[in-house]
Amino acid sequence: MQQRMAKIQEEASLKTAEASAGGGVVTALVNGKNQLVSLTIKKEAVDPEDVEMLQDLVVAAVNEALVKVQAEIGQEMSKATGGLNIPGLF
């Protein structure tokens, strides 16, 4: 089981998840290391009079992508541990 868990942790860094906000005007791609890999902002999302909206869209997209990648890693860990919740793994 330890070998399987080590392999899952290693593979976690290779996993990615993408999420968008604002109907797809902001898209974030993150990896299993909780790093932002890329951020795409369409021109229509940029309004100099409403910078706060763009900031909110970026935060929403990044947070959703992070939740997705962590959920995927959690599922893999759950499979490896037979559903046991082992604190500190992820």
Side-chain angles (χ1 to χ4, degrees):
M1 182 192 275
Q2 284 180 324
Q3 290 175 336
R4 176 74 178 132
M5 304 263 300
K7 184 176 180 177
I8 290 171
Q9 288 176 333
E10 182 181 317
E11 291 171 352
S13 65
L14 303 175
K15 292 191 180 300
T16 60
E18 183 177 272
S20 62
V25 295
V26 175
T27 303
L29 178 69
V30 299
N31 66 20
K33 292 181 180 180
N34 292 328
Q35 297 171 327
L36 181 62
V37 176
S38 72
L39 180 67
T40 304
I41 302 172
K42 293 185 179 178
K43 289 180 183 180
E44 57 266 26
V46 181
D47 179 357
E49 301 299 319
D50 194 5
V51 174
E52 291 82 14
M53 175 63 88
L54 178 56
Q55 292 169 337
D56 290 344
L57 292 173
V58 169
V59 169
V62 171
N63 285 336
E64 184 179 339
L66 288 169
V67 167
K68 284 182 177 182
V69 78
Q70 289 305 313
E72 186 177 338
I73 292 168
Q75 288 175 351
E76 291 296 318
M77 284 300 219
S78 181
K79 288 178 191 174
T81 63
L84 293 174
N85 186 11
I86 301 172
L89 288 180
F90 275 91

